[in-house]
Amino acid sequence: MSIIEIKKLKKSYGKKLALDIPSLNVEHGASIGIFGANGSGKSTLIKCITGLLPYEGQIFIDGNDIRKQPSILADVGILIEEPALYKDMTGRKNIMYFCSDTTAIHEYAELLGITDILDKKVKSYSLGMRQKLAILLACVKGKKLILLDEPFNGLDIISVEKAIELLNLCRQRGASILLTSHQLEISQKAIDMYYLLKNTQIYDCTAPKPFGGLKYLVEFFDIDSVKSAYSLLSENDIICSLSDYALKIQSDGQSVSDIAQILKDFNVKKIEDISYSVKEAYLQMEIKE
Amino acid sequence: MKREFKKFFTRKYILTILPILIIIIILGWNETFFGGNKSDSSVYSDFINGIKPYDTREELEELYDSVFFTTEYPGMEITYNQKKNNFIKSVYGLCLEKNLPYDSVTEMGNFKYTQFHFFSYFCIYMCNFILLSAIIIGSFYQTSDFLNKTAKLVYTSGEKRTKIVARKYCVSLFSLAVIVALIDAIFAFAGLKLSFTGAKYCVIFADGTLYYMNYLSFVTLNIFSHLLMLITVYTFVYYFAALIKNGIIASCAFLSITTILLFLGTSAQESAQAIFTAMFTEGLAAAITFRPISTLKYIALYTPFVLSAAIMATVTNLRLKHSDYSR
């Protein structure tokens, strides 16, 4: 049974179709990222999954239709768009108001580094603190599933790292994660499956890749080798681009060893597989369209 | 429910509500026991002065027969003298029915003509308080989640939307009901001390009908009528605000209607405020004193209000499931 199962989902705002997803399954324990341009429907998708927005089709969380059995949402942590919390309540009281089981609150708060502000009123928090508290709330509540919409907004690099660490800990404890973000490179550390939302459709960007294929970054010790290798690869109909002491290769099925074999006579420093760059995939998709 | 109560009854709420309560009581006290008595009693003291003394039951029967009673119908306009005669005849009738002592009626020792000393001003005052507080709290308590953007968290907590809305409704209504009952109790105690020493019956004269009851019934009537008014108005406002998910529009709409209805006099020089108060209170008075015809009449008057509140709650509950709660 999937943690999220979407069937024939359609969501329109007036006459404008915002989402048209025939099918989507997210397995238990998976961590998926959904990317897309502004207004592509990322937040709309999360709002549909949580039942906040009315929609056509069916959405199941852990086998439960959320419209008929909303009680499943009691184990779903949610952060949508901005950290909206009760400002006159302390951070701890906010969490206790929304979660029935708050046993993990201390451990998670410590991991995020916000233990000392938990008993202060939310109105005294900065944006970053509110964001961290909202992530904490989502993680404490989301025992089965954590839905995060732009979770790293307003966070400094260290806080992002801590948040990712917390998300990974939640995954180890059985929670599945679905997040949307514009910060592709950062989010990559917390997810292992990527989806792209574009023109109301959703595309699976995880292997097998529908676009781009395998990609390598080959670095050389000298600039002459770069130029020569570029010529050789072009002669072998391998698409590549120059970049200082490196070459970006778009492979047509060749493995690392195949590339290494072709370039054996050159002064190669290292060959790095960059196929799984979400950013690359996203940009490729955008260019392709 | 427990969590909702904890959230509602915060220290800030109590510290805010306490001074407001004290101001309400001080203002209401002044209006009820000082401001209201003068003008009101000057209008209706003529009614009471029209009651002639008697020594025997025969004399009382003669007096009763000598006064002509004009039957009133809803919407019917009667003259001042007709109204006065109706009151006097009703009092004689009550004296006969209760076989009251024949030497004490001149000073109205057995009665307190409550409607014009304590009752009406307090009721109108409470009517204003109930309407304003119900409109403001009813409009904003649930919809503040949309203003604060917390609705996204509240309505994904795993409970049904109707249950969440109903829980918030119960908690906020209960808090208002406690305040209303508290004010009623304070004024009832004050009324007992100041206005009702020695009185056997509390009398309410409305639309040609004389209602009488003891003080405890009178206090109960007050509290119940106020609570009924609160529940009706609050339910309508709360569920309307929940339906449109906008407290600002709801409060503006209801405050405008209330201002027009309550503070601008009608052509009959009787403000809707008085009608509204009478509708609830006298309707209940009729019900308590078991006047079948009157009861039907007054219940018919306030039934549309109660029904409309129930319909609003039902329609909102039906719409909740299909509403957009993503704001």
Side-chain angles (χ1 to χ4, degrees), chain A:
Chain A
M1 192 189 294
S2 307
I3 186 72
I4 300 174
E5 190 181 355
I6 293 174
K7 287 178 184 173
K8 294 176 184 174
L9 172 67
K10 276 192 181 181
K11 171 66 196 166
S12 304
Y13 291 107
K15 286 180 181 174
K16 193 191 169 196
L17 186 66
L19 284 177
D20 183 6
I21 302 174
S23 167
L24 178 71
N25 285 306
V26 178
E27 295 305 317
H28 274 282
S31 177
I32 74 164
I34 294 177
F35 305 104
N38 293 336
S40 58
K42 301 186 296 292
S43 300
T44 301
L45 176 61
I46 288 194
K47 286 171 184 171
C48 287
I49 292 172
T50 52
L52 286 167
L53 276 176
Y55 54 84
E56 285 175 47
Q58 284 180 304
I59 298 176
F60 298 92
I61 295 180
D62 205 18
N64 298 282
D65 187 334
I66 49 163
R67 286 185 292 204
K68 289 175 185 162
Q69 292 146 303
S71 59
I72 188 67
L73 290 171
D75 289 328
V76 178
I78 292 154
L79 165 57
I80 300 176
E81 288 169 345
E82 57 192 300
L85 299 150
Y86 287 116
K87 289 174 186 163
D88 284 327
M89 285 160 76
T90 64
R92 189 186 302 279
K93 281 187 179 168
N94 261 289
I95 294 172
M96 287 165 79
Y97 182 76
F98 291 111
C99 307
S100 49
D101 180 7
T102 56
T103 46
I105 186 169
H106 278 286
E107 185 189 359
Y108 290 179
E110 209 162 310
L111 198 59
L112 279 177
I114 55 168
T115 314
D116 54 331
I117 59 158
L118 267 186
D119 292 312
K120 288 180 181 169
K121 287 194 174 175
V122 172
K123 63 184 172 190
S124 67
Y125 288 18
S126 66
L127 175 67
M129 286 173 179
R130 285 209 298 270
Q131 190 75 10
K132 281 190 243 180
L133 183 68
I135 293 172
L136 174 65
L137 172 58
C139 290
V140 172
K141 185 168 175 260
K143 289 185 177 55
K144 285 188 177 168
L145 176 65
I146 300 169
L147 301 168
L148 304 166
D149 187 11
E150 300 294 348
F152 308 122
N153 279 356
L155 296 186
D156 57 71
I157 297 168
I158 296 167
S159 301
V160 169
E161 292 294 334
K162 286 177 177 175
I164 289 169
E165 202 180 325
L166 175 60
L167 291 176
N168 286 329
L169 177 66
C170 293
R171 276 189 74 189
Q172 284 171 23
R173 293 181 177 177
S176 307
I177 294 166
L178 184 150
L179 72 82
T180 71
S181 180
H182 289 107
Q183 294 159 291
L184 303 170
E185 299 293 350
I186 296 169
S187 309
Q188 203 173 339
K189 295 177 183 174
I191 53 182
D192 48 28
M193 293 171 77
Y194 322 116
Y195 287 87
L196 179 76
L197 261 174
K198 191 172 171 67
N199 300 333
T200 74
Q201 306 278 326
I202 196 160
Y203 300 93
D204 186 354
C205 304
T206 328
K209 296 181 183 316
F211 46 82
L214 296 165
K215 284 182 285 295
Y216 305 108
L217 183 76
V218 186
E219 287 181 21
F220 299 87
F221 284 107
D222 57 90
I223 188 81
D224 292 336
S225 297
V226 181
K227 287 174 183 170
S228 308
Y230 179 77
S231 303
L232 181 64
L233 290 167
S234 299
E235 282 168 20
N236 283 287
D237 294 328
I238 296 172
I239 302 163
C240 56
S241 58
L242 283 164
S243 171
D244 295 333
Y245 283 88
L247 274 179
K248 274 187 185 173
I249 299 170
Q250 193 167 322
S251 159
D252 190 21
Q254 294 94 338
S255 65
V256 177
S257 55
D258 294 338
I259 298 292
Q261 184 64 34
I262 295 168
L263 300 174
K264 65 180 189 303
D265 298 330
F266 296 92
N267 206 4
V268 176
K269 190 179 176 184
K270 70 168 178 178
I271 302 174
E272 188 185 348
D273 185 351
I274 55 166
S275 310
Y276 292 94
S277 163
V278 185
K279 190 175 178 180
E280 286 282 327
Y282 173 62
L283 290 172
Q284 282 286 343
M285 186 68 182
E286 289 293 334
I287 292 161
K288 196 179 176 184
E289 288 292 318

Side-chain angles (χ1 to χ4, degrees), chain B residues 77-96:
Chain B
E77 282 191 29
I78 61 166
T79 63
Y80 180 81
N81 278 333
Q82 283 173 322
K83 200 170 183 178
K84 182 180 174 182
N85 286 340
N86 283 355
F87 172 72
I88 292 166
K89 188 158 182 126
S90 299
V91 170
Y92 290 148
L94 177 63
C95 292
L96 278 171

Side-chain angles (χ1 to χ4, degrees), chain B residues 47-241:
Chain B
F47 276 27
I48 298 163
N49 292 337
I51 299 167
K52 291 174 183 167
Y54 55 88
D55 292 322
T56 59
R57 187 177 175 87
E58 287 71 35
E59 278 181 39
L60 180 58
E61 280 169 354
E62 266 177 43
L63 283 169
Y64 179 78
D65 293 336
S66 68
V67 183
F68 182 75
F69 188 88
T70 311
T71 309
E72 292 182 41
Y73 300 100
M76 174 185 171
E77 282 191 29
I78 61 166
T79 63
Y80 180 81
N81 278 333
Q82 283 173 322
K83 200 170 183 178
K84 182 180 174 182
N85 286 340
N86 283 355
F87 172 72
I88 292 166
K89 188 158 182 126
S90 299
V91 170
Y92 290 148
L94 177 63
C95 292
L96 278 171
E97 186 186 326
K98 293 288 170 186
N99 209 21
L100 293 174
Y102 305 118
D103 55 357
S104 60
V105 78
T106 44
E107 295 300 319
M108 294 292 286
N110 281 296
F111 310 112
K112 277 294 168 189
Y113 192 39
T114 56
Q115 185 172 3
F116 309 111
H117 285 285
F118 171 78
F119 183 75
S120 69
Y121 276 86
F122 177 58
C123 274
I124 288 172
Y125 178 74
M126 281 304 285
C127 173
N128 292 343
F129 171 72
I130 289 167
L131 282 171
L132 292 176
S133 56
I135 288 170
I136 291 165
I137 295 181
S139 296
F140 286 106
Y141 184 62
Q142 189 260 341
T143 56
S144 63
D145 279 327
F146 296 107
L147 288 174
N148 302 330
K149 313 258 182 194
T150 43
K152 281 177 276 193
L153 278 176
V154 173
Y155 294 96
T156 53
S157 64
E159 277 183 287
K160 282 185 177 175
R161 285 179 185 177
T162 45
K163 201 175 166 187
I164 296 168
V165 171
R167 191 185 64 218
K168 283 176 177 284
Y169 164 79
C170 290
V171 169
S172 50
L173 178 62
F174 175 80
S175 75
L176 268 183
V178 166
I179 293 170
V180 168
L182 194 69
I183 297 175
D184 268 342
I186 291 169
F187 276 81
F189 184 73
L192 184 69
K193 285 275 184 188
L194 293 174
S195 300
F196 294 95
T197 313
K200 196 171 177 182
Y201 295 107
C202 294
V203 181
I204 302 166
F205 185 66
D207 262 3
T209 311
L210 191 79
Y211 304 106
Y212 54 91
M213 61 199 82
N214 63 31
Y215 190 59
L216 186 64
S217 303
F218 168 69
V219 169
T220 314
L221 165 73
N222 254 337
I223 293 175
F224 273 94
S225 63
H226 293 158
L227 290 180
L228 179 67
M229 190 191 293
L230 174 71
I231 291 167
T232 309
V233 177
Y234 191 81
T235 306
F236 196 87
V237 173
Y238 178 90
Y239 277 100
F240 178 76

